[in-house]
Amino acid sequence: MARSPVVALLLLLIAIPSSSQTTRAEAIATEQEAKASRLGVEGPSEGERVVRRILTSPLLAGGDGAYPWFGSVFGGSGMASGAGYLKRLPNAASASVTAGVSVNKSMLMEGRFSAPELWRGKVRVDGLARWIDVKDVSFFGLGQASSVSQRDRYDYQPTEFGGDVSVTPKGRLSFGGGYSWLGLNTTAESGTTHRAPGIGEALQYHVTRGSVAFDSRTSPGYNTRGGFYSASISRHDERTGQPFSFRTEEYEVVQLLPLVREQFVLAFRGLATFTQPDGGDDVPVVLSPFLGSGSTLRGFRNRRFTDRQLLLFTGEYRWRPSRYLDMAVFLDAGQVAPERRDLRLDALDTSWGIGARFHKPTFTAFRVEVARGREGIALVFGGAQSF
């Protein structure tokens, strides 16, 4: 009988923790059930919602009406922004106007018109009117051996009126041709040494051009597979008797190789531009091929290298962490030279870096990149994909 109080005490000590644990478990289960009742289907983060609202805006996507514009007034004038107005017309015709200002106060005004498609959409006719006032364009001297310390500056005011016809007879093969009247004035800034051909001149050109291209990409504005191969030739005929008439040939190859359901992409580009002045003439610096921009050697200053001939190679590894964002690491390699025979693979300058691109299925809205070359680090902003 003496053992009964001891046994009762032991049973009470065992029961109390067990009861406590049961009560806590029930409380946790009740809390989880209440939380689950408040949860819905998992959705995008707030940041993703903001990006989605911007990219799916009918204005930015190119619908009728006003829309924001981002891009470049002129290579070397920095990032620009502005506004445009687009009016879609029957049978794939359209008319648009754009106005923009860059960070260095350069200005752009442009109007475009696309006529109704002909021959079941296989023939297109486009017109263009453009006026630009570019400030503080850099010129470092001709050739790959030019120095940053020799930088000169000039202002540039071109006016252009022209039109193009493109014919796509079958599949993805297209032919194009066009004509433009181009008037340009360049003004050297105070202290410039006037080493640049054509600077300080008022020139007028009749420009004729022709091209052939094969494009198997899903869209020129944003793509993850396919290729683009083109060859073009143009003639700049100076009409005021000044010695600046020349011919330009350009060849470009772009290839995109998708990996793992297009979540990862290897992208490659090759570009060669050759200019040939008439006997005794020269090529104006402002119309010469150049390296150093958001689509060439991204680790160098804008228009860092200029000359008559150009060679460029670019490789990118792209991946898609979310629906509207692509990331990429890239390597650029290029050279300019006075003659074709001077272009050599062992003389290429290189730059490398990483970038982010915001996009929809058919166009790239904005990209930002950080690149490094032998002269330092450059930050790149753009309103379209690099290639």
Side-chain angles (χ1 to χ4, degrees):
M1 297 298 295
R3 295 181 181 178
S4 296
V6 177
V7 173
L9 180 60
L10 291 175
L11 291 175
L12 180 60
L13 291 175
I14 294 171
I16 290 174
S18 176
S19 175
S20 254
Q21 290 172 1
T22 302
T23 303
R24 285 199 299 271
E26 290 175 351
I28 293 172
T30 302
E31 184 180 348
Q32 289 176 339
E33 288 177 3
K35 185 182 295 185
S37 67
R38 296 192 298 268
L39 294 176
V41 178
E42 183 178 358
S45 66
E46 183 60 29
E48 289 176 324
R49 290 192 187 97
V50 172
V51 172
R52 179 182 297 178
R53 283 196 292 268
I54 294 173
L55 294 180
T56 57
S57 164
L59 299 181
L60 188 57
D64 281 350
Y67 60 89
W69 175 82
F70 304 97
S72 175
V73 170
F74 181 75
S77 63
M79 182 65 183
S81 62
Y85 184 88
L86 172 67
K87 178 63 177 178
R88 295 191 182 278
L89 303 170
N91 198 21
S94 65
S96 67
V97 293
T98 304
V101 180
S102 71
V103 293
N104 74 343
K105 299 182 181 180
S106 298
M107 294 182 290
L108 162 72
M109 295 186 66
E110 179 180 278
R112 291 180 179 271
F113 175 75
S114 295
E117 292 181 337
L118 305 172
W119 193 22
R120 298 180 180 179
K122 298 182 182 296
V123 178
R124 290 198 59 87
V125 180
D126 301 293
L128 169 70
R130 178 192 291 142
W131 172 84
I132 303 176
D133 183 11
V134 188
K135 306 294 186 183
D136 197 26
V137 183
S138 296
F139 175 65
F140 300 92
L142 295 173
Q144 205 79 4
S146 59
S147 172
V148 174
S149 63
Q150 297 177 342
R151 178 185 181 187
D152 287 338
R153 297 176 176 87
Y154 61 90
D155 296 337
Y156 174 49
Q157 298 86 29
T159 302
E160 181 179 4
F161 302 94
D164 290 276
V165 178
S166 60
V167 181
T168 308
K170 186 178 181 180
R172 301 179 180 274
L173 181 66
S174 64
F175 301 89
Y179 165 81
S180 293
W181 178 88
L182 175 63
L184 59 90
N185 292 282
T186 52
T187 306
E189 292 191 2
S190 176
T192 294
T193 58
H194 305 285
R195 298 172 295 118
I199 298 301
E201 306 287 351
L203 306 175
Q204 294 183 15
Y205 284 101
H206 290 318
V207 184
T208 53
R209 51 188 171 268
S211 64
V212 58
F214 181 85
D215 191 353
S216 62
R217 298 171 299 177
T218 53
S219 169
Y222 174 75
N223 39 76
T224 57
R225 55 186 169 85
F228 175 75
Y229 322 97
S230 71
S232 64
I233 186 169
S234 62
R235 164 76 183 171
H236 284 69
D237 188 11
E238 211 290 316
R239 303 307 298 169
T240 64
Q242 300 190 67
F244 291 103
S245 295
F246 63 97
R247 184 185 75 251
T248 301
E249 301 173 29
E250 187 164 273
Y251 307 94
E252 184 175 14
V253 174
V254 173
Q255 188 62 57
L256 305 167
L257 304 175
L259 309 171
V260 192
R261 299 189 303 277
E262 302 185 14
Q263 287 292 112
F264 307 91
V265 177
L266 297 177
F268 304 97
R269 180 195 189 198
L271 176 68
T273 306
F274 309 122
T275 62
Q276 180 61 52
D278 292 356
D281 286 8
D282 208 340
V283 181
V285 160
V286 72
L287 299 177
S288 296
F290 66 90
L291 293 173
S293 71
S295 59
T296 59
L297 280 179
R298 285 167 275 189
F300 290 83
R301 303 185 188 193
N302 283 315
R303 307 183 75 89
R304 175 61 184 86
F305 304 111
T306 303
D307 219 319
R308 295 179 182 177
Q309 323 300 332
L310 176 148
L311 193 61
L312 173 70
F313 301 101
T314 296
E316 292 190 349
Y317 174 65
R318 304 170 179 173
W319 70 96
R320 187 167 52 200
S322 71
R323 183 177 180 182
Y324 300 109
L325 173 66
D326 277 13
M327 300 294 295
V329 292
F330 57 84
L331 174 66
D332 306 319
Q335 183 196 4
V336 296
E339 303 293 339
R340 294 193 195 189
R341 62 177 178 270
D342 298 320
L343 294 170
R344 307 191 319 272
L345 294 179
D346 61 354
L348 300 176
D349 259 307
T350 61
S351 68
W352 57 273
I354 186 169
R357 296 91 185 261
F358 298 93
H359 63 86
K360 279 199 69 179
T362 59
F363 73 92
T364 300
F366 182 75
R367 67 183 167 99
V368 57
E369 296 166 334
V370 179
R372 182 177 182 84
R374 61 179 169 86
E375 295 177 347
I377 296 176
L379 186 61
V380 176
F381 296 97
Q385 62 181 7
S386 55
F387 63 88

